[in-house]
Amino acid sequence: MIALASVRALPRWARRFLVSLLIGWMCLMAALAALVLWPSAGAPHQTPSLPGLRLGATTPDFTLTDTGGTSVHLAALRGRRVLINFWSPTCPPCVTEMPLLERAWSEGRQVGLGAAPAVLGVVGTADSRATIAAFGRRVGARYPLLVDPVLQVSLLDYHVGVLPTSVVLDPRGRLVSVYFGPLTLPEMRRALGISR
């Protein structure tokens, strides 16, 4: 695996190419997983873990910058249920899922400020925050979109290999569930503990 320091040392065009190549690979893996794992529409797509992450274990902490330039620290969300959605603007199922995530996030905010579940969209891209912000506005996603420019969180910390992947954490920051592929609105509500 390429060391993070050596990736940062590459020229910007090379980093963009590398990130684009990795995102393309992740989209290809998502398509293959969809063909292999979900032959029917009713087949489950929940998995018990990701490589290196087990159910019940505390997940890696991270700090990423959202599209508005604000640093979001995962540990600061302790005490709340968190759904981390790993996505890409070049992944059609990811884009289709975003308005539903927005709706679930909006419904969850009605629970109350301190206890409201959180939705974080982590995008591994070398694109600027402004580009991702414009994309989020276009698809109607107002929940925090966090930019992971060298895939430190997506690939190295959380070992995400297919897009979209959603990771659900309990209020203590422990892994509750992992979903490969787009979630339905009822699945999002269950994951966030929103009763409807």
Side-chain angles (χ1 to χ4, degrees):
M1 172 125 339
I2 299 172
L4 184 58
S6 63
V7 170
R8 287 188 175 143
L10 291 172
R12 185 176 179 154
W13 69 266
R15 285 194 314 262
R16 283 180 172 267
F17 175 75
L18 183 60
V19 168
S20 297
L21 188 66
L22 288 171
I23 289 172
W25 175 77
M26 292 167 74
C27 288
L28 176 63
M29 291 295 100
L32 290 174
L35 290 172
V36 173
L37 298 176
W38 307 299
S40 70
H45 59 276
Q46 189 173 5
T47 182
S49 65
L50 286 167
L53 300 175
R54 293 182 330 277
L55 282 182
T58 302
T59 57
D61 192 19
F62 61 80
T63 300
L64 290 173
T65 305
D66 71 11
T67 55
T70 303
S71 290
V72 176
H73 191 70
L74 182 61
L77 297 173
R78 292 281 165 88
R80 300 164 65 180
R81 224 164 151 85
V82 179
L83 187 153
I84 306 169
N85 178 257
F86 294 92
W87 69 283
S88 167
T90 60
C91 163
C94 301
V95 176
T96 301
E97 171 181 59
M98 291 176 83
L100 297 177
L101 284 165
E102 170 63 31
R103 184 166 170 192
W105 176 71
S106 184
E107 289 174 4
R109 288 179 28 182
Q110 296 171 10
V111 171
L113 196 54
V119 173
L120 303 174
V122 176
V123 57
T125 184
D127 290 336
S128 71
R129 289 193 311 260
T131 300
I132 297 303
F135 182 84
R137 283 191 300 273
R138 200 165 48 251
V139 297
R142 292 177 298 140
Y143 56 91
L145 299 179
L146 310 178
V147 180
D148 184 15
V150 292
L151 302 175
Q152 172 66 43
V153 174
S154 306
L155 197 57
L156 301 179
D157 294 344
Y158 280 78
H159 314 286
V160 172
V162 296
L163 294 176
T165 292
S166 293
V167 175
V168 182
L169 313 180
D170 71 10
R172 290 194 265 182
R174 296 177 306 189
L175 184 65
V176 173
S177 55
V178 178
Y179 294 89
F180 294 143
L183 294 168
T184 64
L185 186 57
E187 286 173 324
M188 292 174 194
R189 287 175 176 147
R190 275 194 304 277
L192 292 170
I194 301 168
S195 57
R196 267 281 175 192

